Amino acid sequence: MGYEHEDNQKRMVGIPRSESDVDPQIPVLRINQLDALELDSALEQLLWTQFSKCFHNFRPGLLTPLEPELRALLHLLLWRFTLYSNSATVGQSLLSLRYHNNLSSSPRYRPLTRRQKLALALFTAGPRWLQERSHSLLLCMGSGGPVSERGGSLLQQGLRSCLTLVSGITQLASLINFLVFLRKGQHPVLAERIVGARAVFSKPNVVRDVTYQYMNRELLWHGFAQFLIFLLPLINIKKLKAQMFSIVFGGDRTDREGETEGQEMWKECGLCGEWPTMPHTVGCQHVFCYYCIKSHTIAGSYLTCPKCGADAGQPEPVRMEVEMIGR
């Protein structure tokens, strides 16, 4: 019994006490695991965006030939300082999660081995790189072989068929794995199931940081925002603005402005403010350029005059009567 106790103590060396107290049997919510994957993907995209900005002033398309390799390099760089160091990605660390060695028979928490971490990195970055580089690889490997009737070498067509078959099988396996994840709540990614990595809590007795009052407030605000998104397109803002303007400043001023505008309505377009080209009207006293009013009619089926707020009809050309006076 003494020797077994000493062996157990040796196995626990190198594992912090907070990790050894974690019960890997406590199930992790499915939404937490999916959120961790989304956070990791967002971080990779953010790093790539910042890296691309460093070459913003260089020749356009400079990084395009090496983009798959650079993305894989950034993924391995993140893997080295996150997953390889503490068996947890950035998204898992934010959600108090980390990977547990599911292949271990011990009921306590066991971190991933180096082989598992390497395999997880290869199964994550390798297929993505191969998918982006498959076309160029087929062109390189298929050159110089016997030519078929359809054009292209037989080796190239065989490799393309094999890659298509492997890609289809992988996508089908990923779909089946995700359906199993929805059923059992473990291994949202096929690579985790192959390697034997499972997400568990990194801290015992994790306290919920988000209160229900905050959640209720967010739900109410989200519902109100959805209602505004549905309601605002139904409101004619321009007509409402014109009516409020007439109520605030009174009808006398509106009439005086109408007389003044009636005298100068031929001098400017009601939309662009320039001299009207091919003047058209929509039923009120204001004049618009043909292209201005036509583009606004196409953009919105329900159009009002931006000057007076009157309901606009179909654009019609302005009829002008010219009287010739002889001397």
Side-chain angles (χ1 to χ4, degrees):
M1 296 294 292
Y3 291 108
E4 293 179 358
H5 182 68
E6 292 179 359
D7 293 338
N8 293 332
Q9 288 182 346
K10 291 180 180 180
R11 292 175 184 176
M12 298 300 295
V13 173
I15 302 177
R17 182 174 181 80
S18 60
E19 296 182 6
S20 61
D21 294 339
V22 175
D23 186 8
Q25 304 301 326
I26 299 176
V28 180
L29 295 178
R30 296 171 179 82
I31 188 62
N32 288 355
Q33 301 181 52
L34 296 177
D35 285 344
L37 294 176
E38 290 294 331
L39 289 173
D40 294 335
S41 178
L43 178 62
E44 290 184 12
Q45 185 61 34
L46 179 61
L47 281 178
W48 174 253
T49 302
Q50 296 297 326
F51 180 76
S52 302
K53 287 182 179 179
C54 298
F55 300 88
H56 181 70
N57 296 326
F58 288 80
R59 177 175 56 86
L62 180 64
L63 300 179
T64 304
L66 299 176
E67 183 175 348
E69 287 75 16
L70 292 175
R71 285 183 177 272
L73 184 61
L74 287 178
H75 179 81
L76 294 177
L77 188 64
L78 279 177
W79 166 83
R80 172 61 183 84
F81 292 101
T82 57
L83 182 59
Y84 186 80
S85 301
N86 56 359
S87 297
T89 62
V90 176
Q92 289 178 341
S93 299
L94 293 175
L95 298 176
S96 299
L97 302 177
R98 68 174 56 217
Y99 280 124
H100 166 67
N101 187 359
N102 208 28
L103 302 179
S104 176
S105 58
S106 175
R108 294 181 176 273
Y109 169 78
R110 287 293 181 269
L112 299 180
T113 62
R114 291 186 178 180
R115 292 184 178 180
Q116 287 177 314
K117 295 176 181 179
L118 288 172
L120 193 59
L122 292 178
F123 284 138
T124 304
R128 187 189 309 170
W129 174 84
L130 184 61
Q131 183 179 6
E132 295 177 354
R133 276 297 181 196
S134 59
H135 181 71
S136 57
L137 290 177
L138 288 175
L139 292 178
C140 295
M141 298 177 64
S143 60
V147 180
S148 63
E149 297 179 357
R150 299 180 180 179
S153 62
L154 295 175
L155 178 60
Q156 184 176 353
Q157 292 183 2
L159 290 175
R160 183 181 291 108
S161 301
C162 292
L163 284 177
T164 304
L165 180 61
V166 171
S167 177
I169 294 175
T170 304
Q171 292 178 1
L172 180 61
S174 300
L175 176 60
I176 295 174
N177 176 78
F178 189 74
L179 294 177
V180 175
F181 162 72
L182 295 179
R183 181 70 177 88
K184 297 185 177 181
Q186 297 180 2
H187 310 294
V189 183
L190 183 62
E192 297 179 5
R193 188 177 297 275
I194 296 175
V195 172
R198 180 166 60 89
V200 297
F201 289 108
S202 60
K203 299 177 183 178
N205 301 325
V206 179
V207 181
R208 186 184 184 92
D209 295 331
V210 182
T211 61
Y212 286 101
Q213 293 180 356
Y214 176 80
M215 292 181 62
N216 291 334
R217 185 167 60 251
E218 288 296 320
L219 289 175
L220 288 174
W221 172 249
H222 181 72
F224 181 69
Q226 292 291 333
F227 175 73
L228 290 180
I229 292 173
F230 171 77
L231 182 63
L232 286 179
L234 304 178
I235 300 176
N236 192 346
I237 304 297
K238 294 181 180 179
K239 185 175 181 180
L240 184 62
K241 181 180 178 181
Q243 291 180 355
M244 293 296 297
F245 185 83
S246 62
I247 293 174
V248 172
F249 294 100
D252 297 337
R253 181 174 178 178
T254 305
D255 295 338
R256 291 195 300 268
E257 289 182 356
E259 294 176 359
T260 306
E261 289 182 359
Q263 298 173 0
E264 299 183 356
M265 69 179 199
W266 309 102
K267 295 184 179 180
E268 65 177 12
C269 171
L271 291 172
C272 66
E274 301 293 336
W275 189 273
T277 304
M278 299 175 62
H280 278 63
T281 181
V282 291
C284 61
Q285 61 180 353
H286 299 99
V287 179
F288 308 92
C289 299
Y290 171 74
Y291 296 104
C292 294
I293 194 63
K294 194 63 178 178
S295 61
H296 279 69
T297 305
I298 295 174
S301 58
Y302 187 73
L303 180 67
T304 58
C305 177
K307 291 289 187 178
C308 60
D311 294 336
Q314 291 296 327
E316 296 180 359
V318 176
R319 301 182 183 275
M320 302 176 61
E321 296 181 1
V322 180
E323 183 179 356
M324 303 295 295
I325 301 176
R327 291 184 179 181

